[in-house]
Amino acid sequence: GAWQVDDLEEIGDLEGYIDRASTILIYCSEGYFRSKNCMRELVSTTIKQKPTVTLIDPESSHGGLSIQQVFVKLLEAESSYAKWEFPAETPSGRALHEYLFQVEAIEWNRE
């Protein structure tokens, strides 16, 4: 069955939740790529090749990023891999970006 973020009881088992999910929704926001746990989610999703829905928010005032800005944030996140104790074989920012945008992203538009 599907799980939602409110079902996440143990952050230590984040990768297990990814295993059990059928599809992962990634909301690309300013803070997402600076968060160790969000990046664990993206790395695990990419390694496990889980179906992904990527959501882009064009409103920078709400923390939204363009596809190019997401690319820059992912390259910047690589410098935190050691601090976050990610393994050496963690996909590069470029590889994560390619995975995120292999299917056209959905643009979140507020009305």
Side-chain angles (χ1 to χ4, degrees):
W3 65 275
Q4 299 171 345
V5 97
D6 3 331
D7 298 334
L8 186 59
E9 295 172 6
E10 176 49 57
I11 197 70
D13 190 35
L14 181 63
E15 290 76 6
Y17 284 94
I18 300 291
D19 282 337
R20 294 185 291 280
S22 58
T23 303
I24 308 298
L25 173 72
I26 305 287
Y27 177 80
C28 297
S29 68
E30 181 68 38
Y32 187 91
F33 305 101
R34 290 193 310 257
S35 163
K36 174 183 178 177
N37 288 325
C38 289
M39 288 299 294
R40 281 176 57 205
E41 174 185 65
L42 178 55
V43 165
S44 182
T45 297
T46 301
I47 290 170
K48 298 170 191 297
Q49 300 284 290
K50 297 299 281 197
T52 303
V53 175
T54 303
L55 195 60
I56 291 289
D57 187 342
E59 294 290 326
S60 60
S61 63
H62 291 279
L65 301 168
S66 69
I67 292 173
Q68 182 58 35
Q69 288 170 316
V70 169
F71 182 67
V72 170
K73 295 294 179 190
L74 284 166
L75 294 180
E76 290 171 357
E78 284 184 52
S79 65
S80 296
Y81 284 7
K83 168 180 77 174
W84 292 334
E85 299 178 341
F86 283 9
E89 64 274 6
T90 299
S92 68
R94 179 177 301 278
L96 294 172
H97 190 267
E98 287 172 6
Y99 192 78
L100 264 179
F101 296 103
Q102 65 183 334
V103 174
E104 186 175 356
I106 296 171
E107 190 172 283
W108 177 273
N109 288 298
R110 291 170 176 79
E111 294 290 323

